Amino acid sequence: MAEDGGTDYVLYRKDRVRCSSGGELLEERRLKPESPTRRMVARCCNTAMFLDFTRGHWLTLYRGRLPGGIPPATMRMMTADRPEGVILPDDIANYPGHSGKFMLKLLGAWMAMGFRRPAVEGVP
């Protein structure tokens, strides 16, 4: 968890992500069996690796699980849910919910993928 109470993550198109090793150690966890979001956890160390919204075309990867060289964050979303007393810096855009710009980027990426929802290579 970040200092501001949030979780730093990066979204990637599913067709641009692959698990090069350790995929057999990933285990899904869902709030309910029918939940469309699955949290993928490495069962060897009980470490959350990413979220997969199965109805979507993207993966939500925890920023801390990725190697260096990741572009800096461009926005904070869902800030209305932050813990009481947390004051956010104004170094990037802070949105209380989802931003329209973000939703348009998601739609544009899906269009570029031909409206597909591919499986992620190496992930059960």
Side-chain angles (χ1 to χ4, degrees):
M1 185 176 293
E3 289 179 25
D4 61 13
T7 302
D8 294 341
Y9 60 84
V10 180
L11 270 59
Y12 280 99
R13 291 172 31 170
K14 288 181 179 178
D15 64 345
R16 295 195 175 166
V17 176
R18 70 181 173 89
C19 181
S20 58
S21 65
E24 70 281 358
L25 299 173
L26 293 175
E27 180 177 282
E28 73 175 43
R29 308 245 173 101
R30 296 179 190 245
L31 294 176
K32 296 181 276 185
E34 65 275 7
S35 294
T37 300
R38 62 184 189 154
R39 286 141 180 89
M40 298 304 287
V41 176
R43 69 174 169 266
C44 57
C45 57
N46 203 33
T47 300
M49 301 304 289
F50 60 88
L51 300 176
D52 178 11
F53 177 60
T54 58
R55 295 181 189 156
H57 60 280
W58 69 91
L59 285 182
T60 304
L61 300 154
Y62 294 107
R63 196 173 184 83
R65 306 289 180 263
L66 300 171
I70 303 165
T74 58
M75 67 181 74
R76 291 182 189 91
M77 295 189 319
M78 308 305 289
T79 60
D81 296 331
R82 69 186 180 276
E84 187 176 324
V86 170
I87 298 171
L88 298 171
D90 61 359
D91 54 344
I92 57 177
N94 294 305
Y95 297 99
H98 295 319
S99 85
K101 180 179 176 181
F102 171 75
M103 299 307 284
L104 284 173
K105 281 186 153 192
L106 268 183
L107 180 59
W110 196 25
M111 287 171 52
M113 295 172 65
F115 297 104
R116 295 178 304 114
R117 292 182 179 108
V120 179
E121 184 182 337
V123 174

